[in-house]
Amino acid sequence: MQRGNLSAVSEFVFVGLSDAPEIRLLLFVLFLLIYLATMAGNITLLIAISTDSHLHSPMYFFLGNLSLLDLLCPTITVPKMLGALLLEHKEISFSGCLFQHFSLIAVVGTEIFLLAVMAYDRYMAVCHPLRYPSIVSTKLCAQLALGTWATGLLNSLLHTSLVFTLSFCGPNRIQQYYCDLPPVLALSCSSTHSTELVILVVAGVLGSGACVVTVASYICILQEILARKSPGIWHKAFSTCGSHLAVVCLFYGTTICTYVRPSSTYSPHWDRVVSMLYGMLTPLLNPIIYSLRNKEVKCALKRVISQVRRAL
């Protein structure tokens, strides 16, 4: 089937965040600063992990993957939003919307699976410290990372193919600042019930599986802590798992509010606020959370910053 038979819409138009010129300029400056800070934080963390030998361990390998995802997530959506705020260029082609949708769902899915893998890594580190180096080997880390990326891409391919093979023959104004799933589905002139059902089932199975792994890992960690009853065990466990647990809560909280609900509950204004929390603030806060709670990361970041200063 050719695209012309599937859709009469050649482009979509973002509603955006505000039509008032003075508000648009203020929002442009604010979101540009947040985006630059996100890029700087995650790039610095990636450099620290790749160059500091103290951070060449499974936990930081997965953290590097998380930082890469946090670089990609805002880069998919924010530049287009900034262009709409500054230049009022709110149009996006059908193929551009398809690519943006595919990329965003792939990043979201990959991050869900990666957080589950990181939870398993923390479980092995706390509950099986002596066997940890032999079990969580370099080969296993590479296989787990590759598996998370592959699953995220395949999940996104399914979602995107289901959505963009629908017919779009009426309004083309997306009630969002990027091509997100609920507002795009709302524009289809086809029946979306079966598509929504498949998406909810697939996302529910995969998302629930990743969530179960994450929760089960922390239940086992809690049981291990209670069983040992050794002095200082709570502080040691929190220093090991606290950063990841904070990131998990932040990620799942914003993602569930954005995606895990039927389209009948879709609210454009609420969704724009929540999507900003997920798409912009979460990638900004993740490197800060890991930097504040981890002495090794803080020391590595200080070394990177001092090297940059000497180079300048």
Side-chain angles (χ1 to χ4, degrees), residues 120-156:
Y120 168 75
D121 172 71
R122 294 300 80 207
Y123 156 73
M124 292 301 301
V126 173
C127 299
H128 303 283
L130 298 179
R131 297 169 56 199
Y132 177 75
S134 60
I135 295 176
V136 188
S137 61
T138 302
K139 181 180 178 180
L140 179 62
C141 290
Q143 291 173 341
L144 290 173
L146 183 61
T148 59
W149 284 89
T151 308
L153 290 171
L154 291 174
N155 175 59
S156 180

Side-chain angles (χ1 to χ4, degrees), residues 49-86:
I49 292 171
S50 60
T51 59
D52 196 307
S53 59
H54 297 89
L55 303 184
H56 291 174
S57 66
M59 181 178 75
Y60 298 112
F61 171 75
F62 294 129
L63 179 57
N65 279 265
L66 181 64
S67 291
L68 182 57
L69 290 170
D70 286 338
L71 283 173
L72 293 174
C73 184
T75 302
I76 293 167
T77 59
V78 173
K80 185 67 179 178
M81 180 190 70
L82 294 176
L85 287 171
L86 187 64

Side-chain angles (χ1 to χ4, degrees), residues 2-308:
Q2 295 181 352
R3 201 184 77 185
N5 296 330
L6 297 173
S7 174
V9 172
S10 60
E11 67 177 17
F12 294 98
V13 179
F14 297 125
V15 170
L17 303 174
S18 175
D19 293 325
E22 62 277 6
I23 299 298
R24 287 208 315 270
L25 182 59
L26 178 62
L27 291 175
F28 172 82
V29 173
L30 174 63
F31 293 139
L32 177 61
L33 292 176
I34 293 175
Y35 179 64
L36 293 177
T38 302
M39 294 297 102
N42 284 287
I43 289 173
T44 304
L45 190 56
L46 275 172
I47 293 174
I49 292 171
S50 60
T51 59
D52 196 307
S53 59
H54 297 89
L55 303 184
H56 291 174
S57 66
M59 181 178 75
Y60 298 112
F61 171 75
F62 294 129
L63 179 57
N65 279 265
L66 181 64
S67 291
L68 182 57
L69 290 170
D70 286 338
L71 283 173
L72 293 174
C73 184
T75 302
I76 293 167
T77 59
V78 173
K80 185 67 179 178
M81 180 190 70
L82 294 176
L85 287 171
L86 187 64
L87 305 173
E88 296 189 63
H89 183 68
K90 301 179 180 180
E91 297 80 15
I92 186 170
S93 66
F94 187 93
S95 58
C97 187
L98 185 152
F99 178 75
Q100 190 182 67
H101 179 274
F102 171 80
S103 302
L104 186 64
I105 297 298
V107 168
V108 172
T110 303
E111 190 157 343
I112 289 174
F113 306 132
L114 181 63
L115 289 174
V117 169
M118 293 174 75
Y120 168 75
D121 172 71
R122 294 300 80 207
Y123 156 73
M124 292 301 301
V126 173
C127 299
H128 303 283
L130 298 179
R131 297 169 56 199
Y132 177 75
S134 60
I135 295 176
V136 188
S137 61
T138 302
K139 181 180 178 180
L140 179 62
C141 290
Q143 291 173 341
L144 290 173
L146 183 61
T148 59
W149 284 89
T151 308
L153 290 171
L154 291 174
N155 175 59
S156 180
L157 182 62
L158 174 62
H159 279 64
T160 306
S161 62
L162 287 172
V163 173
F164 284 88
T165 50
L166 296 171
S167 295
F168 294 90
C169 50
N172 67 339
R173 292 174 63 82
I174 297 178
Q175 299 290 328
Q176 186 56 280
Y177 64 90
Y178 63 94
C179 290
D180 198 12
L181 183 61
V184 171
L185 277 176
L187 295 179
S188 175
C189 52
S190 304
S191 174
T192 62
H193 294 298
S194 58
T195 299
E196 286 185 58
L197 181 61
V198 174
I199 289 174
L200 283 174
V201 169
V202 173
V205 170
L206 294 178
S208 298
C211 186
V212 166
V213 171
T214 303
V215 173
S217 297
Y218 277 103
I219 290 175
C220 292
I221 290 172
L222 181 60
Q223 290 176 337
E224 182 70 16
I225 293 171
L226 295 174
R228 287 187 188 179
K229 296 181 181 179
S230 59
I233 186 67
W234 282 100
H235 180 269
K236 183 178 180 181
F238 186 73
S239 64
T240 304
C241 308
S243 299
H244 178 259
L245 190 58
V247 169
V248 166
C249 293
L250 183 64
F251 177 85
Y252 273 100
T254 53
T255 305
I256 288 171
C257 289
T258 304
Y259 295 108
V260 186
R261 54 186 177 74
S263 61
S264 58
T265 63
Y266 173 66
S267 171
H269 299 294
W270 170 249
D271 274 37
R272 288 175 209 167
V273 174
V274 175
S275 62
M276 284 180 195
L277 292 176
Y278 166 73
M280 297 188 69
L281 289 184
T282 301
L284 172 66
L285 293 176
N286 283 352
I288 296 175
I289 291 171
Y290 271 97
S291 300
L292 291 177
R293 292 298 314 161
N294 194 300
K295 292 182 180 179
E296 291 181 326
V297 173
K298 283 193 286 188
C299 293
L301 290 176
K302 287 178 182 178
R303 286 190 285 269
V304 170
I305 293 172
S306 63
Q307 290 173 1
V308 171

